[in-house]
Amino acid sequence: MTLQPPAAPQASPPAEGPAPTGLRTALVLAVAAGAALLLALPPFDLWPLAIVGVALLAIATHRRRLRAGFGLGLLAGAVLFYPLLHWTSFAAGWLPWALLSTAEAVFFGLTGLATAWLRPLLDRWRGLLWPPLLGLLWVTQEAVRDRAPFGGFPWGRLAFSQADAPVLRLAALGGAPAVTFGVAAAAGALVGLYYLIFPAWRALPAETRRKPWLARPRLDWRRPWRDPVIVLSVIAFALVVLPRAVPLGGDQGPVKTIAIVQGNVPRLGLEFNEQRRAVLDNHVKATLQLAADVAAGKRKQPDLVVWPENSSDIDPLRNQDAAGEISAAADAIKAPILVGTVLRTNNPNNIKNAGLLWVPGAGPDPTQQYVKRHPVPFAEYMPLRSVAKLVSDKVALVRNMVPGATPGVLRTGPLTLGDVICFEVAYDGIVRDTVTGGGQVLAVQTNNATFNAAEARQQMAMVRLRAVEHGRDSMMVSTVGVSGFVDRYGSVHQLTGFNTAAVQVRAVHLTSSRTLATRLGALPEIAAVVLAVAALAAAFVLRRGRREITGDGAEKAEAR
C-alpha cells in the first residue's frame, strides 16, 4: 500500500522505522491516553475510548528512550488512576489514595517502558506485529498488577471498561484477559495503520497534504493478505465487531426466585461502623415488608434472600438479639437468608468477614458459610502497621480480618450459590473457584457505604463480565446501592439507585455447564505472559550491539 496524489507515486516510510513524536506532543498524547481510559470506565462507560487510549499511549512511547517511555506511561497512569480511585480517599484519607494511585500508575510506566523496549520488533513486518504484541503487553501488565504488591489491585483493567461492548463476549472464551487482549490488539491495529499511513502522507507535497482527499491509498486487492493496510483494517474490524458472534450462555436449568435486599444505612461514610444496629434493623424491616407483600400476592415467593456485606455487623452467633431479629425475618419470608456479617473470634483483634446462611425454623447453618478469602490490605488488615501509622491516622481503626480458606460455594437447599464478597469480584481465580466448586448462580455481597456511586458502578461492570465469563446469572447486592441482577449475557436488570432502600425479586436460571473460560482458567493469561516475555527477550537480542539510529533530529528527541 502507498499513498499517492493523482499524478505520481510517493515515497514510502523510511526503512529504519518511524521517528518518535516530539516530546511535547508525546506528553499531550500521554495525558489524552489516561483521560480516554478513564472515560471508558464506569461511570462514564464510553467503551471505544479504551481502544483510543491504548493506541495513544503506544504512539507516545514508541521509539523513545526507556526512561522516557516509563515517564510517559507513568503520566498516563496518573491521569487515569487519581480520579478513578478518588473514592478510596473517603475512607482512608488523601495520602493512602495518592500512594495507591501512584503505585498503580507505576505499572503503566512499565508498560510504556516495555513498548519502547519492543521497538525492534514493532518496526518489523510492516506493522503487522502491533496487534499481537500490544495485546500481550497489556495482558501481562494486568496479570502482574492483579497480584502485586500485597495480592494486587485489579481496578481499572481494560476488560472492566467493556461491559457494553461486543468484545465483552470474548470473556466466555478466555475470561478478562481475553477481553483485555481484544481491546489492546484492536488498538495495536490502529497504531500499525497510523505508522503506515501518516509517514506516507507527510511525504506528499505540501499542496496535497492540505487536501488529503486527493491522496488516495493504492491497495493490493488482488493479494489482500499481502497488503498490511488491508490486513490491519480487517484485524481492527474483527476485534471490534465479530465478537458478537461468540455464543453465550449454557444449559437452561431450572428457574428459582431470588430476592436481594438493599436496606440502606442512616448515614454514608465511616460512621457506618457506628450504626450497626440501625443497619441490621433496616434489612430486617425490608425483609419483613417483603414477606408481607408475598402474603398479599404482590411479590413472588423467593427461594432465597440475599443480604449484602455488613448487613449485620453485630455477630449473630454471639449476640442473641441480632440472632432473634434475623430468625424472625427468615421465618416470615419462609426462605433461607444469606446474611453478610462480621464474625468475632476468640482473639479480640481478629474478625472474619462472612456470608452466613440463615435457615427458617432452624437458625444459622455453620456448615454453609463463606469467609472472605482476600481481605483488602491496609483496609481490612494492616501489613506494615508501624509504617502505615506514619501515613494514616486511621490505622488504629483497622483490625485484622482473618482470610477464609475455602471458595464461596453455599448449598442453600433450593440452589448452590457461588458467593464472593466486595472487591473479590475483581479477582479472576476467586470467582472461578465458586463456579468450579458447583455454584449455579453468582452473588456479590458488597458494602459501598464508605465509597460512592462511581465505585459501585465500577463493581457492577465487573459483575457483568463475570456473568458472561462463566455463563451464570448473577447479582450484586449492596447496603446502599447499586444493586441488581445480571443475566448470562451481561445485561443488567432491576438496577437500584444509590443511597436508598430497595428490594428486588427476580427469577434466575440455574446453570451447571462450564464455559471455555471456566474450563481453561488462568491458562490463556499464562500463555500471554509467556509469549510477552519471549517477545521482550527477542527484542533484547535484536537490540544487543545495535546502534540506535532514529533519523535526523529524532535522536535528540529520544534522549530527553
Side-chain angles (χ1 to χ4, degrees), residues 13-93:
E16 67 271 11
T21 57
L23 182 58
R24 291 182 180 179
T25 301
L27 290 171
V28 173
L29 291 177
V31 171
L37 291 170
L38 175 66
L39 294 174
L41 289 156
F44 307 104
D45 292 312
L46 302 176
W47 62 264
L49 291 182
I51 301 173
V52 175
V54 173
L56 291 177
L57 183 57
I59 294 171
T61 56
H62 182 48
R63 292 186 63 84
R64 306 203 74 87
R65 294 284 186 181
L66 300 183
R67 62 178 178 269
F70 178 84
L72 291 166
L74 182 69
L75 176 60
V79 173
L80 166 62
F81 286 111
Y82 269 79
L84 180 70
L85 302 180
H86 183 251
W87 48 266
T88 62
S89 66
F90 303 156

Side-chain angles (χ1 to χ4, degrees), residues 369-509:
Q369 66 172 280
Y370 168 60
V371 177
K372 188 175 184 179
R373 298 166 63 194
H374 196 299
V376 179
F378 303 102
E380 296 176 327
Y381 77 96
M382 191 59 62
L384 308 175
R385 187 175 287 268
S386 59
V387 177
K389 288 180 180 178
L390 304 176
V391 176
S392 175
D393 58 0
K394 297 181 175 64
V395 170
L397 301 176
V398 180
R399 285 184 289 179
N400 286 323
M401 188 171 287
V402 180
T406 58
V409 181
L410 303 175
R411 291 167 177 83
T412 69
L415 57 94
T416 301
L417 190 70
D419 184 36
V420 297
I421 297 177
C422 200
F423 289 2
E424 289 185 322
V425 68
Y427 296 88
D428 300 346
I430 291 178
V431 180
R432 177 178 179 267
D433 286 348
T434 69
V435 177
T436 58
Q440 300 168 305
V441 179
L442 296 178
V444 179
Q445 296 176 285
T446 187
N447 170 28
N448 309 110
T450 55
F451 304 125
N452 62 8
E455 183 272 343
R457 294 186 183 280
Q458 290 159 17
Q459 272 190 302
M460 180 59 79
M462 300 175 195
V463 179
R464 296 176 67 182
L465 182 140
R466 300 305 179 195
V468 173
E469 179 181 7
H470 299 293
R472 294 292 189 275
D473 284 358
S474 306
M475 70 207 74
M476 183 169 110
V477 52
S478 168
T479 48
V480 299
V482 295
S483 304
F485 293 92
V486 179
D487 62 31
R488 68 191 70 186
Y489 307 106
S491 299
V492 181
H493 304 274
Q494 297 174 239
L495 187 69
T496 67
F498 188 76
N499 193 22
T500 184
V503 176
Q504 303 287 22
V505 181
R506 181 174 173 83
V508 300
H509 288 276

Side-chain angles (χ1 to χ4, degrees), residues 37-349:
L37 291 170
L38 175 66
L39 294 174
L41 289 156
F44 307 104
D45 292 312
L46 302 176
W47 62 264
L49 291 182
I51 301 173
V52 175
V54 173
L56 291 177
L57 183 57
I59 294 171
T61 56
H62 182 48
R63 292 186 63 84
R64 306 203 74 87
R65 294 284 186 181
L66 300 183
R67 62 178 178 269
F70 178 84
L72 291 166
L74 182 69
L75 176 60
V79 173
L80 166 62
F81 286 111
Y82 269 79
L84 180 70
L85 302 180
H86 183 251
W87 48 266
T88 62
S89 66
F90 303 156
W94 73 269
L95 187 53
W97 158 55
L99 291 174
L100 175 61
S101 300
T102 302
E104 295 296 290
V106 166
F107 288 97
F108 272 46
L110 295 174
T111 304
L113 184 152
T115 305
W117 177 264
L118 286 174
R119 82 178 230 194
L121 287 176
L122 293 171
D123 284 343
R124 291 171 174 247
W125 291 290
R126 305 178 74 186
L128 294 179
L129 287 181
W130 271 103
L133 289 181
L134 212 55
L136 294 173
L137 203 59
W138 278 81
V139 172
T140 300
Q141 175 252 115
E142 291 185 356
V144 177
R145 188 164 65 86
D146 296 353
R147 293 166 173 83
F150 304 109
F153 192 69
W155 234 259
R157 295 170 75 175
L158 294 181
F160 296 154
S161 68
Q162 302 298 297
D164 294 312
V167 75
L168 178 69
R169 288 179 169 243
L170 294 180
L173 303 180
V179 179
T180 288
F181 181 89
V183 173
L190 295 183
V191 176
L193 289 171
Y194 167 81
Y195 281 124
L196 285 169
I197 296 174
F198 184 70
W201 177 81
R202 288 290 300 272
L204 296 174
E207 181 180 352
T208 305
R209 289 205 307 269
R210 287 194 295 268
K211 300 177 180 180
W213 57 88
L214 295 178
R216 300 187 301 271
R218 176 175 291 177
L219 304 177
D220 187 358
W221 293 109
R222 292 177 298 178
R223 294 176 295 181
W225 58 89
R226 298 187 62 181
D227 191 307
V229 169
I230 296 176
V231 173
L232 288 171
S233 300
V234 170
I235 290 174
F237 175 82
L239 289 169
V240 173
V241 177
L242 292 188
R244 290 186 181 275
V246 175
L248 297 182
D251 60 331
Q252 293 289 330
V255 173
K256 297 294 181 181
T257 301
I258 297 179
I260 57 177
V261 177
Q262 178 180 303
N264 207 11
V265 302
R267 294 181 305 281
L268 297 174
L270 285 177
E271 294 81 6
F272 166 82
N273 294 313
E274 301 171 0
Q275 309 165 45
R276 295 177 303 204
R277 187 52 185 259
V279 174
L280 173 59
D281 289 344
N282 284 354
H283 287 84
V284 169
K285 290 176 182 177
T287 306
L288 292 176
Q289 182 59 53
L290 172 62
D293 291 342
V294 170
K298 298 178 181 178
R299 299 259 199 165
K300 190 173 180 180
Q301 170 66 47
D303 297 294
L304 174 69
V305 178
V306 181
W307 287 3
E309 177 191 26
N310 298 125
S311 50
S312 178
D313 265 5
I314 303 173
D315 185 349
L317 300 182
R318 295 176 180 246
N319 185 293
Q320 292 303 312
D321 289 342
E325 282 211 58
I326 299 171
S327 291
D331 293 344
I333 195 60
K334 300 176 183 177
I337 300 177
L338 179 62
V339 180
T341 185
V342 174
L343 302 178
R344 271 54 183 176
T345 67
N346 292 331
N347 184 339
N349 294 321

